[in-house]
Amino acid sequence: MLQRFVDNVLAVTKESVKTFTYESLNNIVRLINGVSALLLTILPGKATILEGIHGWELRPTFRGPRFPRWMENGVSSFNQLIHELSVDSDTSSVDYSSAEEDSDLNIYPASPSSQSSRASGASAFTKGSKAPAVSENQSPNLRSIKRALTLKDHIVHRTTDRRRGVIEDLHLAIEIFIEAIFDVVHKAAHFILSPLEALRKLSGWISSHNGGTRENDGSVLEASFTTATLGENDPAPTERNTTFHHQSLNTDARTCQDVITELGYPYEAIHVITADGYVLLLERIPRRDARKAVYLQHGIMDSSMGWVCNGVVGSPAFAAFDQGYDVFLGNFRGLVSREHVDKNISSRQYWRYSINEHGTEDIPAMIEKIHQVKTLELKLSRPDLELETDDQLYKLCAVCHSLGGAAMLMYVITRRVEEKPHRLSRLVLLSPAGFHADSNFVFTIVEHLFLVLAPILSPFVTSFYIPTRFFRMLLNKLARDFHNYPAVGGLVQTLMSYVVGGDSSNWVGVLGLPHYNMNDMPGVSFHVALHLAQMKHSRKFKMFDYGSASANMEVYGSSEPLDLGECYWLIDIPVDLVAGRKDKVIRPSMVRKHYKLMKESGVNVSYNEFEYAHLDFTFSHHEELLAYVMSRLRLVDHTQKPSSSTSSPRAEGLKKKDR
């Protein structure tokens, strides 16, 4: 009787302590969120930033955010389907949301273009593709329902974000700590009240469990916990086995391959080795018999994930595939994992590259690999094409963002100087880098400091990235907290936008992308940053300055690095330039400078502006941008014989000078 009384007291006390600590933690977080909301109302122009955000009043939620999390207003129908299916099927997580947030489940069918493209491209699916099979005699509605059920069964649990934030981890740790403390108290009480029985159970427990824990295959841990449920007839704590999986510490480490295959598209990974030994990952959504291909190249601190992160309807890569293109996703060098043929390469050696290497090593290697793959596949699948022409059997267009645009322009110009084919038919450049004279005060200060301190920092600083797995994990989890607590996230977003001159891109949302995970992430080489500072300071789009006339002479054949802006007359393909009116990183005036120089050089160039910030070109869902990009790609006549890129006398002279 006394033992049952003690058990009841311990159970009630434990639940009370849990409730008290949980509410105390929530109150602290509410205070932080409230102070953040107050600061947002004080900051200029940010008083209404939280308007329309339901739940910013500090009520936490433990449901995984929709994919991608930051698409609150422009979410596509497919992504809405994924989110609502995940909410309907997720019964394991705790949901503190109000009933108003959980509307009835609406089934949105996949886009017609997605369905037709998968049906027509079935032969291109690689082994291991997860696309569901659809019979021809099924009606569109049945196919949509079957597709929805397949998504729910196979991919919902991975295409929604299941991370725990720091606050959630803290709450879990406190709860485990309380359980452990009361477990000790409970066993001590039993030992005092029934010493003989306790000793007998203890000896049996030690012999059978050998310490209480054991590891299975290094990934699963089993442990015994005593639990009690209030309201039961006998609330005495009873032991039960709990299994913990050590797979990811609840961080999001999906890859571009995960996103592509889980959405039902084919996938292929091609490892490309550059001339200087860097191992690059060229990813592909293959249409092997297509004679039109598109190459997508990301910008700084980004990866191929940027082209697929908005789901089926909102991503350029999927839009191009649905329109019949063979899609290639390029990845620049510059990962924490340091992929190189020399497995023992030092950090200093690996990170010693500038934008030059992106344009003269990375892109040439990937485009030549595309040429090899496409030529071989088309000759095998369509031997009649070999009789038509001995020239390029396909048309390749490139869509590039930010730094990728600058590297692509460098690639085209240097290939023309070297009298080598660039194999491209059209360029679509989204807010391309290159000219940076018109920028905000913060960038100007950083530029001057960087140029002054570069000789001092160069021997010690090789690159800029988060160096340890712990801090990368922390960033990944904080990104979840910023979404759970909108006022805190809004404050961080505002402060980050101030650093980049007021650019309204969702910087906090981008931090939550899977490629910023604890295992790996893109970084920025010190010399890439120095190269950008040099271009901003000189007000020219030029190649890297090695610091002395003799060093430049050895590389370029002249005392000054090659001015790419003066060589735009070498560009022999149409170029479409796109600027963002809200872009404060690369302002429209700088994109217009590209346009002006190209126009004066006789390039077939177009210019357009959208109401976008810098990251909106890849990380936001804008149907008008996708429609515009696809309209430019369709201007390429895929049946016309490619023109040969012969070198002009002026190019010959420039080539001799470069030698």
Side-chain angles (χ1 to χ4, degrees):
M1 193 58 136
L2 181 59
Q3 182 174 326
R4 174 168 294 189
F5 173 75
V6 171
D7 289 341
N8 290 337
V9 171
L10 287 176
V12 172
T13 305
K14 181 176 68 173
E15 294 301 324
S16 300
V17 172
K18 279 185 180 180
T19 303
F20 175 78
T21 54
Y22 177 75
E23 290 301 324
S24 298
L25 179 61
N26 275 348
N27 286 332
I28 294 173
V29 175
R30 288 186 179 100
L31 177 62
I32 296 174
N33 211 20
V35 172
S36 300
L38 179 62
L39 291 175
L40 281 173
T41 60
I42 297 174
L43 292 174
K46 302 298 179 181
T48 60
I49 192 172
L50 295 177
E51 288 185 3
I53 300 181
H54 183 62
W56 75 267
E57 305 88 351
L58 328 173
R59 186 183 63 243
T61 175
F62 294 94
R63 178 202 304 166
R66 62 180 70 179
F67 174 69
R69 176 70 184 194
W70 57 93
M71 284 172 48
E72 296 294 341
N73 297 319
V75 65
S76 68
S77 60
F78 186 86
N79 291 331
Q80 184 71 19
L81 164 66
I82 293 295
H83 171 61
E84 293 185 348
L85 282 176
S86 68
V87 172
D88 182 66
S89 62
D90 183 14
T91 58
S92 60
S93 61
V94 181
D95 188 0
Y96 289 87
S97 302
S98 63
E100 297 175 358
E101 293 180 349
D102 296 329
S103 57
D104 294 337
L105 181 63
N106 296 318
I107 301 299
Y108 294 84
S111 63
S113 60
S114 300
Q115 292 181 350
S116 62
S117 67
R118 289 188 191 84
S120 63
S123 61
F125 273 60
T126 57
K127 185 179 181 181
S129 172
K130 302 182 182 178
V134 180
S135 61
E136 294 181 358
N137 58 356
Q138 285 179 312
S139 67
N141 288 337
L142 288 177
R143 287 200 299 267
S144 299
I145 295 174
K146 184 174 182 179
R147 177 174 178 78
L149 294 176
T150 304
L151 287 169
K152 183 174 181 179
D153 290 338
H154 293 286
I155 70 172
V156 162
H157 69 286
R158 296 192 67 187
T159 53
T160 51
D161 190 345
R162 299 298 181 193
R163 286 174 294 169
R164 285 197 309 261
V166 175
I167 301 301
E168 292 165 297
D169 275 343
L170 184 59
H171 172 261
L172 180 62
I174 291 175
E175 186 166 348
I176 293 175
F177 177 75
I178 293 173
E179 286 280 356
I181 293 297
F182 274 88
D183 183 42
V184 172
V185 174
H186 172 257
K187 283 182 169 57
H190 272 248
F191 183 79
I192 294 173
L193 296 175
S194 305
L196 295 178
E197 183 181 354
L199 287 173
R200 181 175 56 80
K201 288 184 177 181
L202 181 61
S203 61
W205 179 74
I206 292 176
S207 61
S208 61
H209 293 276
N210 193 21
T213 62
R214 62 184 177 90
E215 290 197 19
N216 297 327
D217 300 329
S219 62
V220 179
L221 181 68
E222 292 186 357
S224 296
F225 284 92
T226 56
T227 60
T229 303
L230 292 178
E232 291 183 348
N233 294 330
D234 184 5
T238 57
E239 287 193 354
R240 64 181 178 88
N241 289 329
T242 303
T243 302
F244 298 96
H245 293 270
H246 288 221
Q247 58 185 52
S248 64
L249 294 176
N250 285 88
T251 61
D252 189 1
R254 284 168 298 163
T255 63
C256 186
Q257 176 181 357
D258 293 330
V259 175
I260 292 172
T261 57
E262 287 166 0
L263 294 178
Y265 285 81
Y267 175 85
E268 181 181 347
I270 305 172
H271 292 281
V272 179
I273 300 178
T274 66
D276 52 353
Y278 286 77
V279 180
L280 309 178
L281 178 61
L282 178 63
E283 299 178 277
R284 183 186 186 190
I285 310 178
R287 282 188 182 275
R288 304 188 190 284
D289 58 347
R291 294 189 64 185
K292 53 183 182 179
V294 60
Y295 169 76
L296 303 172
Q297 184 56 59
H298 63 78
I300 197 168
M301 287 294 287
D302 194 9
S303 74
S304 55
M305 181 67 75
W307 303 109
V308 300
C309 65
N310 280 329
V312 169
V313 178
S315 299
F318 297 133
F321 182 87
D322 289 341
Q323 292 296 321
Y325 287 84
D326 195 352
V327 180
F328 292 87
L329 309 172
N331 286 282
F332 281 145
R333 65 183 69 189
L335 291 173
V336 175
S337 55
R338 300 205 301 265
E339 303 295 332
H340 197 275
V341 293
D342 181 5
K343 300 302 181 183
N344 298 318
I345 189 172
S346 67
S347 177
R348 178 166 302 282
Q349 290 174 314
Y350 177 85
W351 293 102
R352 193 168 184 81
Y353 63 85
S354 66
I355 303 175
N356 280 20
E357 282 66 33
H358 288 326
T360 62
E361 299 288 351
D362 294 352
I363 293 179
M366 287 187 281
I367 288 184
E368 284 305 307
K369 177 60 70 173
I370 292 173
H371 178 66
Q372 293 174 14
V373 169
K374 288 299 298 178
T375 300
L376 178 61
E377 290 177 349
L378 287 173
K379 284 184 177 180
L380 290 175
S381 64
R382 303 177 64 176
D384 57 306
L385 295 178
E386 200 169 1
L387 302 176
E388 295 178 4
T389 175
D390 293 329
D391 215 321
Q392 190 167 307
L393 302 178
Y394 63 97
K395 291 294 184 71
L396 177 64
C397 300
V399 180
C400 310
H401 177 240
S402 191
L403 185 70
M408 184 59 69
L409 289 172
M410 183 185 297
Y411 162 75
V412 171
I413 292 171
T414 54
R415 296 290 282 193
R416 292 277 285 131
V417 170
E418 296 169 357
E419 295 185 6
K420 295 179 180 179
H422 53 67
R423 311 196 185 282
L424 295 169
S425 299
R426 193 176 195 95
L427 295 180
V428 181
L429 306 181
L430 311 176
S431 191
F435 294 107
H436 304 277
D438 182 14
S439 62
N440 64 79
F441 179 73
V442 174
F443 282 165
T444 303
I445 294 297
V446 172
E447 167 217 329
H448 289 296
L449 288 176
F450 210 88
L451 293 175
V452 171
L453 297 176
I456 302 173
L457 296 177
S458 181
F460 307 101
V461 181
T462 60
S463 55
F464 304 97
Y465 61 88
I466 300 177
T468 66
R469 296 182 78 247
F470 172 78
F471 286 108
R472 292 196 292 271
M473 177 189 70
L474 186 62
L475 176 67
N476 196 264
K477 287 179 172 293
L478 283 174
R480 170 66 188 267
D481 287 324
F482 294 153
H483 293 302
N484 281 345
Y485 306 99
V488 177
L491 180 61
V492 174
Q493 165 75 26
T494 301
L495 296 177
M496 293 179 68
S497 68
Y498 285 160
V499 172
V500 292
D503 187 271
S504 60
S505 301
N506 196 331
W507 301 93
V508 167
V510 171
L511 290 179
L513 276 179
H515 64 250
Y516 291 104
N517 60 69
M518 64 187 297
N519 300 318
D520 205 356
M521 69 177 295
V524 179
S525 163
F526 179 86
H527 288 88
V528 167
L530 179 59
H531 196 171
L532 290 170
Q534 290 176 354
M535 288 191 292
K536 182 175 178 353
H537 182 73
S538 65
R539 309 175 75 87
K540 296 179 180 179
F541 178 25
K542 64 178 187 178
M543 301 188 77
F544 185 73
D545 190 339
Y546 288 90
S548 66
S550 59
N552 289 331
M553 183 67 69
E554 183 179 349
V555 176
Y556 304 114
S558 65
S559 58
E560 291 290 329
L562 182 64
D563 189 335
L564 298 167
E566 292 183 354
C567 300
Y568 278 170
W569 55 271
L570 286 168
I571 301 175
D572 59 344
I573 54 176
V575 180
D576 301 297
L577 299 172
V578 183
R581 297 189 187 98
K582 297 179 180 179
D583 192 339
K584 305 300 181 182
V585 178
I586 300 176
R587 297 186 175 183
S589 60
M590 296 293 92
V591 182
R592 284 195 294 269
K593 187 167 184 178
H594 284 287
Y595 175 75
K596 178 182 177 182
L597 291 175
M598 288 184 187
K599 201 70 175 175
E600 292 173 350
S601 300
V603 179
N604 181 6
V605 61
S606 69
Y607 175 82
N608 209 334
E609 289 184 3
F610 290 91
E611 286 291 333
Y612 297 167
H614 189 66
L615 299 183
D616 292 345
F617 290 103
T618 53
F619 297 125
S620 294
H621 177 215
H622 293 293
E623 295 286 357
E624 64 271 23
L625 176 64
L626 291 181
Y628 175 78
V629 171
M630 296 311 303
S631 70
R632 307 316 291 179
L633 297 181
R634 283 194 293 268
L635 293 177
V636 176
D637 185 358
H638 300 285
T639 61
Q640 183 180 359
K641 189 174 179 177
S643 59
S644 59
S645 297
T646 57
S647 180
S648 67
R650 187 176 176 186
E652 180 65 26
L654 184 58
K655 180 184 175 185
K656 292 179 179 179
K657 179 181 177 182
D658 188 52
R659 286 175 178 167

